Amino acid sequence: MTEQRTTPAQDGSAPDSPGASERPVRVNAWNGWDPLRHVIVGRAEGTVVQAPEHAVRRDYPDDGFPLGTYGPMPADMVAEADQQLDDFADMLRRRGIRVDRPTPVDFTKEVSTPEWTHESMFGCMPPRDLLLTVGNEVLEATMSYRSRWFEYLCYRPVLQDLFDADPRMRWEAAPKPRLTDASYKAGFWDTYNELPTDVQLARVRDYDLVLTEAEPLFDAADVARFGKDLFVQLSFVTNRSGYDWLRRHFPDHRVHAVTSTNTHPLHIDATWVPLRPGLVLHCGERLADAELMEFFKLNDWEIVEAVQPASWDHPPKLSFCSPWLAGNMLNLDANTLCVEENEVRLAEQLSSYGFEIVPVPFRAVGPFGGGLHCATVDIERDGGLEDYFPRRYGRF
Ligand code: ARG
């Protein structure tokens, strides 16, 4: 079965190294830093600038996609991003890590459920948004964009293979959301970006953003895994009900809802980034709430404020990510970090904490939905479930 699991002809990258393909497949990952053995790496092919919907609006007047227009990403950008993704996958394979890739569907298709129709889908570059591995479970998130409702189809071949290969794997999917108009606050995007920063921050703190509480909604990338503690960011794509669903779904974990001083919270993995036991990186502009910071400090965690990203002055074309994507890194283990190659200052900062840095060219991938963490989902890491926060503080 393992032989069929890689498709070099399709994705342009090399097969797994012999060492990796001989090991039995085992789904196991409790945190973001234990030694990595098996990972999914996304693909840019077919990605679409989404048609506007209640949850999200793309508006790139200078890049050929003003508000209301939608369609495939430019072919040259796709080719460059896929080259970087394939090279990244090959680098991981050379290190003995098993790599799986998703299977894109035709994202330009109009999609519908009995309750709504939407003009386009999105893509499958950021598997992190969709899939959450906790121990031997892989959980498919609800998602909250209509354009991403069917994205799980891209991962079904990989998930089916994992399920067939590992008799202990638990394959779960959160309730598919209805995503009717009742799930969104009407007109949210007509005004939100025009509000003063302090008003936006108050809205984030009070969790009054685009989603209603009509049903549980979450993206997997709003969950940060620290062993027994899972931190769930309330965001544009994750609501309180989604957090509550996750809390009930993982009864053996402590599941915490968190916010930060981020006016546009969307996925926690460029905001509050675990580096290794005892060390977390936070993006300077997005302070975590005071209680969360105290909770970490009380448990002897050091909180490192990330230096200003290199990408600060050069936002790539058609990107919906901020420069803080710099902090969106992949741990190969607790001492080794893959960092985007242009982020030299960040690499230096992290080296001073003893990390070995693997520079990875990845700038071209950003416009397809994120950085090195977004583009991956860990399927197997060594190690087990551990408690890194023995002391309680406040609501934690
Ligand atoms: N929204 C974050 C930022 O712009 C990027 C995080 C993307 N993460 C992801 N899993 N797609 O700072």
Side-chain angles (χ1 to χ4, degrees):
M1 189 152 312
T2 39
E3 296 75 48
Q4 308 164 351
R5 296 169 34 74
T6 49
T7 50
Q10 257 182 29
D11 73 16
S13 50
D16 289 332
S17 68
S21 53
E22 277 156 23
R23 279 197 319 265
V25 171
R26 188 176 76 116
V27 177
N28 180 76
W30 298 99
N31 58 52
W33 56 72
D34 276 338
L36 184 66
R37 302 291 176 206
H38 185 171
V39 73
I40 302 176
V41 174
R43 296 173 65 185
E45 186 188 321
T47 304
V48 164
V49 176
Q50 297 129 291
E53 54 180 300
H54 297 309
V56 66
R57 285 179 179 180
R58 302 296 179 211
D59 183 16
Y60 310 106
D62 302 333
D63 300 337
F65 284 96
L67 184 62
T69 58
Y70 56 94
M73 291 283 280
D76 56 328
M77 289 178 68
V78 175
E80 206 190 334
D82 265 333
Q83 189 61 54
Q84 293 194 337
L85 286 156
D86 290 349
D87 291 347
F88 177 51
D90 288 346
M91 182 276 284
L92 296 172
R93 285 178 173 133
R94 282 196 301 276
R95 287 176 170 257
I97 296 164
R98 194 196 299 261
V99 180
D100 288 328
R101 311 297 300 275
T103 309
V105 297
D106 179 357
F107 301 115
T108 63
K109 272 201 177 142
E110 181 177 283
V111 287
S112 57
T113 72
E115 296 182 306
W116 49 261
T117 295
H118 190 59
E119 293 86 343
S120 82
M121 289 181 268
F122 165 58
C124 62
M125 198 302 287
R128 185 73 62 181
D129 300 3
L130 233 108
L131 301 176
L132 178 65
T133 308
V134 175
N136 63 343
E137 168 175 339
V138 181
L139 172 66
E140 298 174 13
T142 67
M143 310 309 285
S144 67
Y145 294 176
R146 290 176 180 173
S147 53
R148 302 191 76 176
W149 204 97
F150 285 100
E151 211 167 300
Y152 71 95
L153 292 173
C154 307
Y155 299 98
R156 283 294 172 92
V158 170
L159 292 170
Q160 182 69 52
D161 282 347
L162 292 173
F163 184 73
D164 292 342
D166 177 1
R168 291 183 58 258
M169 183 236 189
R170 281 166 50 100
W171 183 0
E172 296 272 0
K176 287 307 273 175
R178 291 173 63 180
L179 302 186
T180 65
D181 293 356
S183 289
Y184 309 100
K185 289 181 198 151
F188 177 86
W189 289 113
D190 294 337
T191 55
Y192 187 78
N193 289 331
E194 265 53 71
L195 297 174
T197 304
D198 59 322
V199 177
Q200 290 177 336
L201 290 177
R203 297 274 299 258
V204 172
R205 205 178 45 240
D206 301 338
Y207 193 61
D208 178 12
L209 300 175
V210 62
L211 300 179
T212 67
E213 299 294 340
E215 58 182 341
L217 297 172
F218 68 93
D219 272 18
D222 270 322
V223 183
R225 298 159 309 152
F226 290 70
K228 203 168 165 57
D229 291 82
L230 302 174
F231 298 89
V232 181
Q233 174 179 252
L234 303 178
S235 74
F236 288 147
V237 293
T238 297
N239 64 8
R240 281 193 191 283
S241 182
Y243 156 71
D244 196 33
W245 189 89
L246 283 162
R247 194 180 52 77
R248 298 190 213 180
H249 183 70
F250 292 113
D252 298 331
H253 281 73
R254 292 182 295 248
V255 187
H256 315 281
V258 299
T259 58
S260 69
T261 54
N262 180 355
T263 56
H264 287 67
L266 175 68
H267 302 145
I268 196 169
D269 56 355
T271 299
W272 191 249
V273 181
L275 297 174
R276 66 178 179 226
L279 202 63
V280 62
L281 185 81
H282 90 85
C283 123
E285 224 172 40
R286 303 171 180 171
L287 268 186
D289 71 58
E291 218 164 51
L292 179 66
M293 305 265 265
E294 279 313 312
F295 173 61
F296 270 69
K297 287 182 195 153
L298 186 70
N299 283 285
D300 300 321
W301 280 67
E302 186 180 348
I303 301 165
V304 182
E305 183 177 326
V307 293
Q308 179 134 327
S311 44
W312 201 259
D313 303 318
H314 315 280
K317 215 178 131 176
L318 294 172
S319 176
F320 48 90
C321 295
S322 78
W324 292 107
L325 200 59
N328 190 267
M329 302 170 292
L330 181 72
N331 280 73
L332 299 186
D333 56 48
N335 301 309
T336 316
L337 274 170
C338 296
V339 181
E340 208 289 315
E341 67 170 357
N342 294 287
E343 299 296 342
V344 178
R345 279 195 307 267
L346 179 64
E348 275 170 17
Q349 181 186 27
L350 294 167
S351 302
S352 77
Y353 283 89
F355 288 99
E356 186 200 320
I357 304 298
V358 181
V360 180
F362 222 61
R363 272 310 287 282
V365 179
F368 294 83
L372 292 154
H373 196 260
C374 315
T376 52
V377 166
D378 21 319
I379 294 300
E380 185 187 2
R381 290 183 183 271
D382 292 346
L385 176 61
E386 288 189 41
D387 186 349
Y388 304 95
F389 299 90
R391 303 190 196 111
R392 313 264 61 78
Y393 181 81
R395 66 190 173 89
F396 297 100

